[in-house]
C-alpha cells in the first residue's frame, strides 16, 4: 500500500470578517461600454466570455456608453427612477411599520432596486415572473397597487391572500407575478415548467425565473437548467447575486465555478453577467434575453451582480457576519443615485427636482399606508374572516372541508 496523506476538504472563507476592512478586490469591474453586444441568435459557444465579464452602460461621468446603451427614452428613464424611488420609500415605511409592531416581518430591497424595476419594463404584458421575496420592484413597475401590498403586509381584512401567505409573499396573475414560493429555487423549475406549458399550448407568453446566489446550491436550480436547455424552453433565468445568503457569503454556493453565470455553460445556455446596479444595463440585457425567449431561441441565464445593503430581513443582524461599512465599499455604487446622475448629465433632471420627487413619492407611500391602515394592522382592527380559509384552495370543496366549515359555524 502506498503511503497516503489523510484527506481533508475545503471550506471557502469570506475575504473579511466583522471588524475587518471591506475587501472587494475579487470583483473585477470592466469599463462601461467595453463588453460587446452579440446578436440574439449567437451560438452559446461563441459568447462564453460574457459569463465572466460584467455588462455595464453607465460610466463614471454618468454617461450611457457602448453597444448596450440607447434603448430608453428620457421619459422611460424618468419612469425607471420613479419606480426605484417608490420601492425605496415603500421599504422605508414598511421596515418602520415592522418595528412599530404593525406587521410581523419585512424584507427590504436596498441596493437591488434596479434589478426588478428594470427587468419588468423589458417584459411583454402577459409574461409571467416566478419571483423570490426580493423582487417587489416587479410589482411596483407593473402598477400593482401599493395599498394591496400593504394590506397583505398588515394581514388585515383586505389582505388579498387572506392570510394564506407570509406578509411579503405577494401574488398577482394580472401583473405577471406568480404567487411567491417560500421554498427557494422552486421558482426556477416552476418557471421552466410554465414556459414549456406555454409553448405546448402554442401561446406567446414567456416566463422568467428568479433565484438568489445562495439558492443556486439547491438541486432545483440544476434540474431547471437541464429541462430549460434540453427543451429550449422560452424562459429567462435570473440569478440575483447580492453577495450574501443571509449570513453565508456567495463563495459557498459558487464553489469552484468562476461565476454564477458560468454555471450555464455546462448546459449550453447563453449566460451573461450584468451590473445589477445599472438600470440601463439591466434593462438592455433583460430585453436581449426576453427577445430570445419570444423568438423561440430558448433560455438565457443572467447573473445580476449587486449587493444587499440592508439586513436579510427584519429578523437578521448583519453586524454578526460582515463589516458594518461593507456596503460603502461596494464598487458598483447605488442604483438610484447612478440613474439620477445620468438624468442630470442628460440635462433632463436636477438635484432640486429629485428632492421634490422624493418628497412627492414619500407622500404617496404614506397616503397608501394610511389607507391600508383603515383596514387594520397585525394587532389592531379587522381581520380576514376564518370562513375564508376554506375558500380558494380547491376548485370543488372536498366533503371533509365542507364538514369542518359547518362545524366552525360558517
Ligand atoms: C429550500 C429553502 N431552503 C432554505 C430556506 C431558508 N432561507 C430563506 S432566505 C435564505 C437565503 C437565500 O439567499 P439567496 O438565495 O442568496 O437570496 P437573497 O436572500 O440574498 O436574495 C434561506 C437559506 C428557504 N426559504 N428555502
Ligand atoms: Mg443572496
Amino acid at each position: 500500500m502506498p503511503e497516503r496523506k489523510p484527506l481533508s476538504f475545503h471550506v471557502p472563507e469570506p475575504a473579511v470578517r466583522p471588524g475587518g476592512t471591506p475587501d472587494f478586490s475579487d470583483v473585477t469591474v470592466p469599463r462601461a461600454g467595453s463588453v460587446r453586444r452579440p446578436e440574439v441568435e449567437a451560438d452559446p459557444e461563441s459568447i462564453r466570455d460574457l459569463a465572466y465579464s460584467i455588462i455595464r452602460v453607465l460610466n463614471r461621468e454618468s454617461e450611457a456608453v457602448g453597444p448596450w446603451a440607447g434603448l430608453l427614452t428620457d421619459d422611460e428613464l424618468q419612469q425607471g427612477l420613479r419606480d426605484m424611488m417608490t420601492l425605496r420609500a415603500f421599504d422605508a415605511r414598511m421596515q418602520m411599520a415592522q418595528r412599530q409592531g404593525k406587521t410581523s416581518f419585512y424584507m427590504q430591497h436596498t441596493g437591488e432596486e434596479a434589478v426588478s424595476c428594470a427587468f419588468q419594463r423589458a417584459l411583454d404584458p402577459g409574461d409571467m415572473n416566478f419571483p423570490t421575496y426580493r423582487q417587489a420592484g416587479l410589482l411596483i413597475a407593473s402598477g400593482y397597487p401599493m395599498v394591496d401590498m400593504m394590506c397583505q403586509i398588515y394581514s388585515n381584512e383586505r389582505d388579498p391572500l387572506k392570510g394564506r401567505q407570509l406578509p411579503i409573499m405577494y401574488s398577482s396573475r394580472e401583473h405577471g407575478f406568480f404567487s411567491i414560493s417560500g421554498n427557494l429555487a422552486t421558482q426556477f423549475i416552476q418557471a421552466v415548467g410554465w414556459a414549456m406549458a406555454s409553448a405546448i399550448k402554442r401561446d406567446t407568453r414567456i416566463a422568467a425565473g428568479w433565484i438568489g446566489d445562495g439558492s443556486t446550491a439547491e438541486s432545483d436550480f440544476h434540474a431547471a437548467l437541464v429541462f430549460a436547455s434540453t427543451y429550449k424552453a422560452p424562459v429567462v433565468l435570473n440569478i440575483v447575486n447580492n453577495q450574501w445568503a443571509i449570513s453565508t457569503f456567495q463563495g459557498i454556493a459558487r464553489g469552484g465555478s468562476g461565476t454564477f453565470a458560468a454555471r450555464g455553460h455546462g448546459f449550453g445556455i447563453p449566460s451573461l453577467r450584468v451590473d445589477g446596479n445599472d438600470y440601463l444595463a439591466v434593462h438592455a440585457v433583460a430585453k436581449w434575453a426576453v427577445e430570445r425567449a419570444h423568438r423561440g431561441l430558448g433560455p438565457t441565464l443572467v447573473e445580476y451582480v449587486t449587493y444587499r445593503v440592508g439586513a436579510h430581513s427584519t429578523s437578521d443582524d448583519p453586524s454578526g457576519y460582515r463589516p458594518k461599512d461593507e456596503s460603502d465599499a461596494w464598487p458598483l455604487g447605488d442604483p438610484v443615485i447612478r440613474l439620477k446622475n445620468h438624468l442630470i448629465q442628460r440635462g433632463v433632471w436636477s438635484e432640486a427636482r429629485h428632492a421634490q420627487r422624493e418628497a412627492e413619492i414619500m407622500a404617496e407611500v404614506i397616503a397608501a399606508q394610511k389607507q391600508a391602515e383603515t383596514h387594520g394592522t397585525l394587532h389592531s382592527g379587522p381581520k380576514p374572516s376564518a370562513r375564508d380559509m376554506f375558500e380558494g384552495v380547491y376548485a370543488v370543496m372536498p366533503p371533509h372541508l365542507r364538514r369542518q366549515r359547518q362545524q366552525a359555524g360558517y
Side-chain angles (χ1 to χ4, degrees), residues 187-206:
Q187 288 84 358
F188 258 41
I189 47 175
Q190 291 163 3
V192 173
W194 194 96
M196 288 171 66
S198 186
I200 289 166
K201 289 187 289 191
R202 310 292 298 159
D203 202 335
T204 58
R205 295 173 298 166
I206 65 150

Side-chain angles (χ1 to χ4, degrees), residues 104-256:
S104 53
F105 182 73
Y106 190 69
M107 297 178 92
Q108 292 186 286
H109 306 76
T110 321
E112 301 178 46
E113 292 89 348
V115 177
S116 52
C117 290
F119 186 86
Q120 181 62 35
R121 301 264 171 197
L123 290 174
D124 284 3
D127 293 342
M128 184 61 77
N129 283 294
F130 289 77
T132 79
Y133 43 70
R134 224 179 292 280
Q135 281 93 45
L138 300 170
L139 283 176
I140 300 273
S142 66
Y144 185 72
M146 276 191 283
V147 175
D148 289 4
M149 292 165 81
M150 289 166 170
C151 285
Q152 182 171 344
I153 291 169
Y154 288 149
S155 307
N156 67 20
E157 65 170 348
R158 280 268 317 275
D159 170 2
L161 287 136
K162 300 187 166 61
R164 290 194 186 88
Q165 267 282 29
L166 273 167
I168 48 143
M169 301 289 215
Y170 317 107
S171 170
S172 176
R173 186 202 300 258
E174 299 72 33
H175 296 80
F177 194 97
F178 205 90
S179 195
I180 297 180
S181 190
N183 304 309
L184 294 169
T186 55
Q187 288 84 358
F188 258 41
I189 47 175
Q190 291 163 3
V192 173
W194 194 96
M196 288 171 66
S198 186
I200 289 166
K201 289 187 289 191
R202 310 292 298 159
D203 202 335
T204 58
R205 295 173 298 166
I206 65 150
W210 291 88
I211 201 165
D213 46 279
S215 306
T216 62
E218 281 285 337
S219 51
D220 283 342
F221 169 75
H222 303 269
L225 296 193
V226 171
F227 276 78
S229 64
T230 299
Y231 299 108
K232 292 203 185 304
V235 65
V236 181
L237 297 167
N238 297 306
I239 304 172
V240 184
N241 175 7
N242 63 5
Q243 313 303 317
W244 290 97
I246 313 183
S247 57
T248 305
F249 90 113
Q250 50 78 29
I252 298 280
R254 181 170 49 78

Side-chain angles (χ1 to χ4, degrees), residues 274-288:
V274 56
D275 180 344
N277 292 18
D278 178 338
Y279 185 93
L280 287 84
V282 170
H283 176 265
V285 170
K287 269 273 177 211
W288 192 91

Side-chain angles (χ1 to χ4, degrees), residues 344-385:
I344 293 174
Q345 186 275 333
R346 289 177 75 83
V348 295
W349 202 241
S350 66
E351 292 288 353
R353 281 182 74 179
H354 191 80
Q356 190 191 341
R357 179 57 54 83
E358 212 163 40
E360 282 163 17
I361 288 173
M362 189 50 89
E364 280 169 27
V365 173
I366 291 172
Q369 188 178 10
K370 287 212 172 107
Q371 199 187 328
E373 288 182 11
T374 63
H375 303 288
T377 63
L378 181 62
H379 293 299
S380 70
K383 294 269 170 291
S385 164

